[in-house]
C-alpha cells in the first residue's frame, strides 16, 4: 500500500470501525454484502489483514490497540490467520 494512501485510510475512523465490525461480526458483515456467497471467514481474514496493514500508521495503531473488541476477537478466534493478523495489530506479535 502506498504510504500516502495508508496515511489517508489510517485516519478514517469510519473505515476502522467498519473493519472492526467485519472482524467481530463476519457472518453479519458477509450477509449484508452486495455480492452473494461472500465467505464470512474470508471477510474476517481480509479485514484483519487490512487492519494489520494500516496499523503501521501511528493513529491507526493507537486506535486499534485501545479496542477491547479486537482484543476479544483475538482471544476468542480459533482461526490462526485471524489471530496472527490481530496479534500484529495489537502489538502482541511482530
Amino acid at each position: 500500500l502506498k504510504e500516502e494512501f495508508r496515511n489517508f485510510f489510517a485516519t478514517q475512523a469510519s473505515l476502522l470501525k467498519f473493519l472492526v465490525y467485519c472482524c467481530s461480526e463476519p457472518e453479519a458483515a458477509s450477509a449484508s454484502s452486495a455480492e452473494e456467497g461472500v465467505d464470512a471467514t474470508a471477510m474476517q481474514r481480509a479485514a484483519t489483514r487490512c487492519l494489520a496493514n494500516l496499523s503501521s500508521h501511528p493513529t491507526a495503531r493507537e486506535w486499534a490497540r485501545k479496542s477491547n473488541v479486537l482484543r476479544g476477537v483475538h482471544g476468542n478466534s480459533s482461526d490462526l490467520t485471524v489471530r496472527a493478523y490481530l496479534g500484529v495489530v495489537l502489538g502482541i506479535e511482530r
Side-chain angles (χ1 to χ4, degrees):
L1 189 62
K2 290 189 175 192
E3 198 59 35
E4 58 266 15
F5 294 122
R6 183 188 334 268
N7 290 337
F8 173 76
F9 289 129
T11 60
Q12 301 302 306
S14 59
L15 173 62
L16 297 174
K17 289 176 185 177
F18 174 71
L19 292 172
V20 170
Y21 171 70
C22 291
C23 292
S24 63
E25 302 291 336
E27 292 83 12
S30 63
S32 64
S33 172
E35 293 185 36
E36 289 188 33
V38 175
D39 180 49
T41 301
M43 168 97 54
Q44 187 178 42
R45 287 179 177 175
T48 57
R49 185 177 58 243
C50 286
L51 284 170
N53 195 332
L54 293 174
S55 71
S56 67
H57 188 278
T59 302
R61 181 173 49 249
E62 180 181 339
W63 185 88
R65 289 184 180 175
K66 291 179 181 177
S67 173
N68 290 328
V69 174
L70 291 178
R71 289 189 183 284
V73 173
H74 179 266
N76 295 325
S77 180
S78 60
D79 187 322
L80 296 179
T81 302
V82 169
R83 288 180 57 88
Y85 282 133
L86 287 179
V88 170
V89 171
L90 298 169
I92 297 167
E93 300 173 18
R94 299 209 183 248

